[in-house]
Every structure is written in structure tokens, then in C-alpha cells.
Amino acid sequence: MTEQHLKLTRRTLIAAATVAAVLPGAAFAQSNTYPSATVTFVCAFPAGSGADVLVRFFSEKVAQVSKQTVIVENKPGANGNIAAEYVSRAKPDGYTVYVHSGTSTAANMSLFKKPPIDVTKALRGVQFINKQPFMIAVAADSPIKDMKQLTEHLKGKGGDATYGSTATSGKVLAEVYLQLAGVAATEVAYKTGPDSLNDIVSGQLDFAALDPVFALSQQREGRLRLLAVGSPQRMKSTPDIPAIKEYGLNVDQLGWWGVFVPAKTPDDVVMKLHDLFQSVLEKPETEAFLNKFGGDVYTGTPKEVDELLAKTVEEWRGYVALAKIPQN
Amino acid sequence: MEVFEHLATGFMAAGTLENLLFCLIGTVLGTLIGVLPGIGPIPALAILLPITFGLDPLSSLIMLAGIYYGAQYGGSTTSILVNMPGEASSVVTCIEGHQMARRGRAGAALAIAALGSFFAGCVGTVFIAAFGPPLSAIAQQFNSPDYFALMLLGLVMAIVLAHGSVLKAVAMVLMGLLLGLVGTDINTGLTRYTFGLSGLWEGIDFLPLVLGLFGIVEIVRNLENPPPPRETISTRLRDLWPTRSEMKDAIPAALRGTGLGSILGILPGGGAVLASFASYTLEKKISKNPRKFGTGAVEGVAGPESANNAAAQTSFIPLLTLGIPSNPIMAIMMGAMIIQGIQPGAAVMTTRPDLFWGMVASMWIGNLMLVVINLPMIGIWVKLLSVPYRLLYPAILLFCAIGVYSTSTEPFMMVLMIVFTVFGYVLFKLGCEPAPMVLGFILGPLMEENLRRSLVISRGDPMIFINRPISATLLVATVLMLCLIIFPQFRKTREEAFQEE
């Protein structure tokens, strides 16, 4: 008993010292012992998927800075609804943490007729992870060199064009671009980037809206040419790829990842968790890792996460209507 | 002779004491995972992934790869002994392998599976070294219409898998296709046939389906008609080994299986599964004595086992040369490489030749280790069959339940498993076999996706399937296969051969 007690105290001291270093002043007011037991990160994707790798990377890093075991629990299904609902109903003690795409969490509010939870009310934000845009790609040997030429090409085809998309974010990016450029193309949906590669490279598809991990890896392999990113500015990690906005089309689509806990989690626990993630996000290896996933590190206060989540929910109501995505 | 130089580089890199140790850990872990029904290699790899963060990149990849083919290997052990396929590619091994075990030839079946896999692994390694890059270029030529045609050919082959009537086999394939429709429609994002159950959104899970249909139904069957009391199982080495005539049948089958598997493994999506089914079909078609298929034909174990192991090896080709993972396991390997700061793709071969060739060499070393570990264990595995049923069956049920629950931690998956057990029992009573249904279930969604994509790309013109040489060739092969099945005389002999069981 005594030993256990001693250990706990020492850990608390170390944790408090860490927090104090990061956030002077604010830290000493919050003298709780969190985290003092195993923390569970909930991942809404199946084990082994690209997103699962990201969650597991953070579980490893947070375990290092918190000196606690962090396990990853995969709760895939229903586009992330199952995981979000599971977290919202967990005990609000900071030991069940949802590491997921904030964009997707917000989008589900519009993609479903009856979303199981109101994410802005049932969850609260802790920290951001990254921002990553979807990308517009063509085959590496395509005559189309930039977005202007792509728009011209699609105009020439007069609505007879096709584009490949992976995930709802890809579809929405493409549809918003088509709408603003005043051209048309039919969507061909793919489950994953690799599924679409042969059809893009052979020129069967006129263009594709792809996730950054896949798009960048295939650009490096010399099979794809990336014309633009969907973010309002160029990304720090990919300064050579222009933003669609530079062509005068007001596309502002930046996917982001965040950390969420049940809404009733107390402030001090949220702040402690926020600081743990902050220290992980400041590490150079984290930046290198996230850049490989085609995104930039992104940090913010819990309040900023809540605000962006609410804003994203509203934006997606418009996108879902614009892209004419049927609701489940 | 460049190939040998490359392989020498690889053996130097993989042959260090440290890497040999990680290879051993990986293969042993993989075998254990494969033997425990339900705990598949995918969750196991994902859980072990963080452990590899701190390791040298080559060591971590060697260990993860070892788990993968170790699990492939262990999966066939449970298929043969207790009719329980842990993953799709060992479904076929159940058909003949378990029959062999029922005839008291479990040892021989295990030995043949081990040796066939080892041989296929050796060939697969050389194959990657010699033809990796050019072959991946061929795989890149496959577009949506070609995949559709390939899946269609696979489904027609599935009909040949069954032993009973053609009509029942066709019905089973169609049933599998229908089950494959459940889930989210990729084009619209709307759900189909889910009855409002969120557990069905991603489609019916493979594990509860296959464990219910095969493993648990087998238990129910045996409880209904208790098999005759088994003679004391001999564990003398002489009785565990395949006889000379068994070896004579097995060797050519293993050769053919290796060839088929090496080629099909390169294709993304279901390569290893198709390989084992295709090899079984081939063996049954060319056999002089097709009558013995279904009663424990040695070729039906040697061929598919070699094929799936060869395919497991060559499925690394698209990842290592194109940076495209061909199945979920390769996707985890890709994640492991990215975490280690290596971008998978052709560049790895030139920038990190020690890593590339080291991994290729480690596959051969790993396969050798598997044989060395497993051949002496055959006696122990076979002894497992002498465990009384009253202990064996509850244990199997327990492992199935844990396996199914642990993959998703959803109680709903248990319900699914029970549903498929009942369904499998009804099928058994009706004399319908589940293997063609499983193939329909796996290939159906892939076929549908590619059919719809092709037609959207061609703006609704079905000529896209005939204009492309690859898909046209595959469609002709499909038609020929269908003719073989429908051709009356063939049908007559086929029914004579199989109706009497």
C-alpha cells in the first residue's frame, strides 16, 4: 500500500512539474492525479488502417509523457458513429479518449437523418492533432498540368467526364470545385486510394480527389501529378502544391483531427490531457510523422476545438446539400 | 546473376543474430495466433505495431512479416484438425484436410501442408527476387473491368468446389453474393439490408460467418452423429508421415499450386484466397480420379496450401515495388514502414537495398524456421485429437467466442455467429456446402464494385468489358468454364462421381 502510495505521489510530482513547465501559473491550481490508471484511446477505424496507425502512434507517445499505459480500442462501423456514441456514454473521467477526424465527426451530423448523438453537446474538445487537405490528382503523364487546364479539359468534355473519389471528403471537395468552376463530371467511388490507382493512371478517369497519404506516396513514385490541395493556403509540408483558391475558386476545405472526451469530463482533467497532447505535438518526430501523412501539426485550446467542431458541423450541412449526398 | 548478388546482400542483412531472433519470435507468435481460432493476424499485427517503434526498421519488418506467414501456416493446422478456418485462405484446406484427419491421416495432412508451404515459400522468395518489378507492372494494367472479369471467373470456379449437385452449388454462390450485399453501398453511401442494425453497416463480418458455418456446425454435426470411437491415435513417426503414394500425388499438386499462387498473389484484393480456390479447382479438374475429392484427397491439401503460401509471399511485391498494399495485412506493413521513416515503393530497392533484400531473404529464413518448428510439433497437434470430445468441444466454442468478440468487442458479433451456426446446420441438413457460398461472399462485393465502376466510367456501355484485352480474355475463360459445367455429358459423369456420398 505504502509503496503504491509513494509511487503515485512521485508520478503526480513529475506530472505536475511537466505541466508547470508547459503552462506556468495555470498548472498548480489543478493538483489532480490524472492519469493514474490505464487510458483507452478509441479508434473509429479497424485495426491496421492508416488512421489506426496514427492513433497508435499517439497512444505510444502519450504513454511516454504520461508514464501510463495507453491502449487502443477499435470501434469501427457506421462511419464513426459507433465510436463517437461509445465515447459519449463512457464515464467522464478522462480515461476514455476519442482520437478521430473532427471533420468526419462533424460531417456525420449531416450525413445521417438521425445522428445517434449531437456531437457538439455529447463530446468536448481537448486538443487538435493536425490539419490535412484532400488533393486533386491526375495521371503523371496527363497533358493536364494545372487546375486551369483541368477546368478547360472538363469544359471540353461537356459533362461527359468522370472523377474518382475516396471517402466523403474527396467527393465533397470535387463537387465544390466542379460547382465553383461551373463544370460537371460523374463520380466513381472507390473504397481506398489504391483501388483507384490503375483507373487513374490508365486515364480512364479525368481526375481524382484523394486523401493526402495516398496521393503524396504515389506522387513520389511518379504515378500521379498533384494539381492542388483543398486547403485555403498551401500546406507547410507540401509548399510546391498550390491551393485551389489561387485559381480564383473559393475552395476552403481542410480536414482536421482532434481529441475528444465525454462532455461532462471536468476541466482540470481536460487541461491535463490537453497538455499531454501538447507536449507530444511539440516533438520533432511527431511533426515528421504527421508530415508523412500529408498534414501539418495543429494545436489549440479545448475551447478552440469546441468552436471549430461547431463551425464544421454547420459547413457540412451546406456541403451535403451541395454535393447531393443522400442521408442515411 | 544479379539476382544472386541481391539475395546475398539480403542474407547478409537478415542473417545477423538479432534479426534471426526477431524472425523466430515473429514466426512462433504467428503460428500461435494462427492456431487459436478467431485471433487473426490483422488485429495481432496492429497490437504489436507499437512494439516495433523502437526496433531497427529491418528487424521490425522481419518480425511483422514472420507473424503474417506464421499465422497463414498455423491457420491450416486448425483447419485440418478441427475444421476451423481462421481466415479466408484456409477455408479450402478444410475441405480435404479435415477429411484426411477424419480418416486418421491428420499427421500426413499436416506434414504435406508444411512441406508444400515451405516449397512454395522458397519459390515465392526467388520469384520476388527475380521477377518482382516486371510482374508488378503487369498487375498495374488491371483496371476495373478486368477485375470484374477476374471475379466472375472466380465465382464460376466456386461452383466446381462443391461435391453435390451443380444446382445446389450455384444456389450457394448466389446466396453468398446476397450476403455480400449487406452493408454500406459504396456509390451512394446508403446502407442496404442492415435492418437498422449498426453492426451490419460495414457488411457481415467474415469471422462470425466462417466460424459459425464451419467450426461450430462441425461440433453440432458430431454431437448429432457421434463419430465412431477413434482408434488410439498412433504418434509413431512412421504413421505421422505421408506415405510414398501420398507424396507422389502431393508433389505435382504443390508445384501447380505454387505457380498459380505466385501469379495470383500479385493482384490486389483477395489474391491469396483466389489462389487457394483456383488451385483446388485445378486439382479436381485434372485429377484422374476426381471421385476421391471430398473424402480427403492429398492433392486438395498440397495444392491450395502451396498456393496460398506462395500468394502470401508474392503479395509483398505490390507493396515493395509500387507502394500499394494488396490486402489489409500489407496495409499494416506499410504503416510500419512509414512509422520507421521509410516510404514504401520502388525507391526502397535502390535507396535501402539491405532493407529490401533483407526482407526478401528473411521470408525464406522464416519459412525454414516454420518447418523446423512445426514438423516435430505435428505429433503434439495430432495428440490434440485424442482429447475427449467433452473437453475439446467446449474449448473450441470458448476460443471461437473469444476470437469473435475480441476483434470488435461487439456482442452483436456473437449473435451473428449463432445465426450462421443455425444457418450452417440447415445447409448441412439440405446437403448444401458452405465453401462456394464463402467464395461468393468474399468475391461478390469486389465484383459489384468493379462492375459499377466500369459502367460509370464507360457511361453505361457494356462493351468496355469486351474492348479491353485482359477482361475479354478472362471472360472467354469464364464462358469456357461454364460450358464445361453445363455440357451435358460432363454433367452426367460429374453427378455419377459425386452424388453418392
Side-chain angles (χ1 to χ4, degrees):
Chain A
M1 267 324 276
T2 335
E3 221 176 86
Q4 172 86 17
H5 187 72
L6 269 174
K7 223 163 96 191
L8 270 179
T9 322
R10 201 176 62 198
R11 186 174 295 136
T12 314
L13 276 174
I14 294 167
T18 320
V19 173
V22 178
L23 264 188
F28 287 108
Q30 302 146 4
S31 57
N32 59 56
T33 53
Y34 172 84
S36 61
T38 299
V39 180
T40 303
F41 282 8
V42 175
C43 174
F45 293 94
S49 53
D52 178 63
V53 171
L54 190 140
V55 176
R56 281 178 202 276
F57 176 88
F58 275 90
S59 75
E60 177 74 8
K61 296 291 169 199
V62 170
Q64 275 170 20
V65 293
S66 67
K67 310 272 187 296
Q68 276 299 339
T69 311
V70 180
I71 59 167
V72 176
E73 199 170 322
N74 297 89
K75 290 261 170 204
N79 210 17
N81 270 341
I82 290 175
E85 194 180 355
Y86 175 79
V87 174
S88 74
R89 294 203 178 139
K91 214 170 146 201
D93 53 8
Y95 290 98
T96 308
V97 181
Y98 190 28
V99 182
H100 191 57
S101 155
T103 316
S104 169
T105 307
N108 279 351
M109 293 295 288
S110 318
L111 292 173
F112 294 87
K113 283 194 199 99
K114 277 188 219 145
I117 54 165
D118 180 344
V119 293
T120 54
K121 293 201 179 81
L123 298 174
R124 70 177 289 186
V126 175
Q127 175 62 281
F128 294 113
I129 298 272
N130 72 341
K131 286 194 166 187
Q132 54 176 37
F134 268 57
M135 299 180 171
I136 304 281
V138 293
D141 57 3
S142 162
I144 301 166
K145 304 275 190 249
D146 59 30
M147 287 305 285
K148 205 169 142 245
Q149 290 178 8
L150 177 63
T151 308
E152 290 303 316
H153 170 80
L154 294 176
K155 268 198 185 116
K157 278 215 158 181
D160 206 26
T162 51
Y163 73 88
S165 76
T166 58
T168 318
S169 293
K171 176 173 181 159
V172 164
L173 173 62
E175 290 293 334
V176 169
Y177 154 67
L178 291 170
Q179 168 110 359
L180 291 171
V183 288
T186 309
E187 186 210 13
V188 183
Y190 293 86
K191 270 196 188 132
T192 64
D195 286 350
S196 70
L197 185 68
N198 288 359
D199 288 345
I200 304 171
V201 172
S202 68
Q204 302 259 25
L205 300 167
D206 293 283
F207 74 100
L210 302 170
D211 73 82
V213 183
F214 174 71
L216 287 169
S217 73
Q218 292 306 317
Q219 182 204 34
R220 270 189 291 264
E221 290 293 314
R223 288 191 201 95
L224 295 182
R225 176 183 299 140
L226 302 182
L227 301 183
V229 292
S231 49
Q233 299 102 29
R234 296 184 183 214
M235 299 299 288
K236 250 190 283 171
S237 51
T238 56
D240 299 337
I241 308 172
I244 302 180
K245 223 173 181 169
E246 294 170 33
Y247 295 91
L249 303 171
N250 191 22
V251 174
D252 176 2
Q253 285 206 24
L254 195 49
W256 57 277
W257 272 65
V259 181
F260 307 90
V261 289
K264 293 209 168 68
T265 311
D267 288 341
D268 54 346
V269 171
V270 168
M271 271 325 284
K272 192 76 144 286
L273 191 59
H274 168 271
D275 297 343
L276 288 173
F277 270 93
Q278 182 82 30
S279 59
V280 170
L281 288 164
E282 281 166 4
K283 286 177 196 281
E285 70 250 38
T286 307
E287 186 170 5
F289 174 80
L290 289 176
N291 286 350
K292 277 209 194 73
F293 276 78
D296 293 348
V297 172
Y298 184 40
T299 59
T301 63
K303 192 161 165 277
E304 285 168 346
V305 181
D306 285 337
E307 283 166 4
L308 186 60
L309 186 69
K311 186 174 158 245
T312 313
V313 168
E314 282 318 307
E315 281 173 354
W316 271 77
R317 286 197 201 289
Y319 295 149
V320 167
L322 185 142
K324 298 191 186 67
I325 299 170
Q327 288 181 310
N328 258 308
Chain B
M1 290 305 98
E2 219 184 4
V3 175
F4 293 104
E5 258 170 58
H6 289 324
L7 281 178
T9 322
F11 277 104
M12 295 274 279
T16 64
L17 201 60
E18 194 192 343
N19 287 339
L20 286 177
L21 182 70
F22 281 113
C23 190
L24 184 68
I25 294 173
T27 46
V28 170
L29 264 180
T31 309
L32 286 177
I33 289 160
V35 167
L36 295 173
I39 304 167
I42 297 174
L45 280 177
I47 291 162
L48 289 171
L49 194 55
I51 299 176
T52 67
F53 287 175
L55 296 179
D56 170 70
L58 182 60
S59 307
S60 73
L61 290 175
I62 284 177
M63 187 173 94
L64 292 174
I67 294 172
Y68 170 45
Y69 44 74
Q72 289 271 345
Y73 186 93
S76 49
T77 306
T78 48
S79 300
I80 290 168
L81 294 178
V82 287
N83 199 28
M84 190 121 50
E87 49 183 327
S89 54
S90 38
V91 169
V92 183
T93 313
C94 282
I95 305 175
E96 301 299 329
H98 188 58
Q99 289 304 325
M100 282 184 75
R102 287 174 84 107
R103 283 199 288 120
R105 301 297 300 154
L110 289 172
I112 285 171
L115 294 172
S117 295
F118 176 62
F119 174 73
C122 295
V123 174
T125 306
V126 176
F127 204 72
I128 295 180
F131 307 115
L135 278 173
S136 61
I138 296 174
Q140 250 193 300
Q141 300 300 315
F142 268 68
N143 285 6
S144 294
D146 312 321
Y147 275 115
F148 168 74
L150 181 70
M151 300 302 159
L152 200 64
L153 179 62
L155 281 185
V156 172
M157 290 197 303
I159 297 169
V160 189
L161 281 179
H163 316 116
S165 74
V166 175
L167 197 63
K168 279 181 182 169
V170 173
M172 283 294 92
V173 171
L174 292 178
M175 180 63 98
L177 287 179
L178 287 177
L179 289 174
L181 288 179
V182 176
T184 307
D185 170 29
I186 180 166
N187 284 54
T188 59
L190 292 176
T191 55
R192 306 185 294 202
Y193 308 111
T194 55
F195 307 103
L197 298 166
S198 56
L200 289 177
W201 280 51
E202 313 287 306
I204 295 169
D205 211 53
F206 175 73
L207 211 52
L209 176 115
V210 80
L211 289 183
L213 282 178
F214 286 86
I216 304 183
V217 167
E218 175 75 9
I219 296 177
V220 177
R221 249 167 85 168
N222 283 338
L223 289 176
E224 195 178 64
N225 302 313
R230 287 168 297 190
E231 299 152 40
T232 343
I233 290 166
S234 159
T235 46
R236 275 185 311 164
L237 199 62
R238 193 154 55 84
D239 297 324
L240 291 176
W241 275 89
T243 61
R244 186 166 294 209
S245 86
E246 278 172 333
M247 283 304 258
K248 223 182 92 205
D249 289 338
I251 290 171
L255 285 172
R256 287 186 289 265
T258 304
L260 260 178
S262 302
I263 293 164
L264 287 172
I266 303 164
L267 297 171
V273 186
L274 263 183
S276 59
F277 280 101
S279 160
Y280 185 86
T281 311
L282 179 72
E283 291 310 320
K284 196 165 156 182
K285 274 268 160 279
I286 63 173
S287 171
K288 286 194 201 83
N289 188 10
R291 202 174 284 259
K292 66 181 176 179
F293 276 80
T295 61
V298 180
E299 301 95 309
V301 177
E305 272 300 306
S306 312
N308 79 32
N309 208 47
Q313 303 277 8
T314 54
S315 62
F316 277 89
I317 292 180
L319 178 68
L320 291 174
T321 59
L322 300 176
I324 302 168
S326 54
N327 58 41
I329 293 165
M330 289 303 120
I332 301 181
M333 298 289 295
M334 186 170 170
M337 290 173 97
I338 292 177
I339 287 176
Q340 295 278 5
I342 301 154
Q343 191 62 49
V348 177
M349 238 185 292
T350 43
T351 56
R352 295 287 308 270
D354 57 319
L355 188 96
F356 181 87
W357 297 108
M359 237 181 105
V360 173
S362 86
M363 290 178 196
W364 186 81
I365 298 174
N367 273 290
L368 182 68
M369 283 181 176
L370 277 175
V371 171
V372 174
I373 300 165
N374 281 288
L375 282 184
M377 295 230 314
I378 288 178
I380 299 169
W381 294 130
V382 173
K383 269 211 184 102
L384 214 119
L385 285 182
S386 56
V387 173
Y389 288 134
R390 64 184 151 69
L391 298 178
L392 188 63
Y393 289 165
I396 293 176
L397 270 180
L398 182 76
F399 278 123
C400 284
I402 293 173
V404 166
Y405 183 74
S406 66
T407 48
S408 61
T409 59
E410 283 294 325
F412 177 71
M413 293 300 153
M414 309 289 282
V415 178
L416 262 187
M417 184 165 75
I418 295 164
V419 168
F420 281 109
T421 306
V422 175
F423 186 55
Y425 181 71
V426 173
L427 290 183
F428 162 64
K429 283 283 160 193
L430 294 174
C432 298
E433 286 175 69
M437 189 172 89
V438 174
L439 195 58
F441 172 73
I442 295 169
L443 298 184
L446 293 170
M447 187 167 101
E448 185 207 341
E449 268 174 40
N450 286 300
L451 171 68
R452 293 174 67 178
R453 267 177 213 147
S454 310
L455 288 176
V456 174
I457 290 173
S458 74
R459 321 298 292 162
D461 182 3
M463 291 305 284
I464 190 171
F465 297 109
I466 297 164
N467 291 342
R468 291 188 52 82
I470 301 178
S471 88
T473 315
L474 289 168
L475 286 177
V476 169
T478 309
V479 171
L480 283 178
M481 195 71 126
L482 264 179
C483 289
L484 270 178
I485 294 167
I486 297 165
F487 194 56
Q489 195 157 10
F490 168 76
R491 198 162 97 188
K492 205 164 137 237
T493 51
R494 188 178 188 282
E495 280 173 8
E496 270 169 12
F498 303 119
Q499 205 64 302
E500 75 237 15
E501 44 183 295

